[in-house]
Amino acid sequence: MNYYAVRLPVLDEEKSKVHRQEHLSYLESLAEKGNIFTYGRFTDGTGGLVIYKAANLEEATSLAKNDPYVVTGARDCVVNEWAMNIELLSK
């Protein structure tokens, strides 16, 4: 599995509020399947970040684009493969 950082910048704040629970439920269901490493919001209110675990970029992009936030136009998504530095974690 590879890791993919997905930024979810806010496009529509009202839609983000309306679809927040759907978004969180979606992430929880993917976490149960092993496709989420971690996620969280930006404290400045501009969006959030999800680190997906997927076989390839296409799978990660599909997972990100099926997020209710993205489907409803509440958020955009920007997907990048992420090379996690585990060296620092082992010290």
Side-chain angles (χ1 to χ4, degrees), residues 10-61:
V10 174
L11 295 176
D12 185 316
E13 196 164 326
E14 191 57 37
K15 283 184 180 180
S16 289
K17 290 176 187 174
V18 169
H19 297 287
R20 182 174 189 272
Q21 190 53 54
E22 292 170 65
H23 161 72
L24 293 175
S25 295
Y26 178 71
L27 295 182
E28 288 172 14
S29 72
L30 290 179
E32 290 173 3
K33 296 175 185 174
N35 289 109
I36 301 288
F37 177 69
T38 193
Y39 61 89
R41 64 180 182 85
F42 298 136
T43 59
D44 64 1
T46 60
L49 177 75
V50 180
I51 306 293
Y52 286 92
K53 295 191 304 187
N56 53 49
L57 179 62
E58 292 77 20
E59 180 185 7
T61 300

Side-chain angles (χ1 to χ4, degrees), residues 26 52 60-68 70-71 77:
Y26 178 71
Y52 286 92
T61 300
S62 176
L63 292 171
K65 288 190 175 191
N66 282 299
D67 184 322
V70 178
V71 171
C77 71

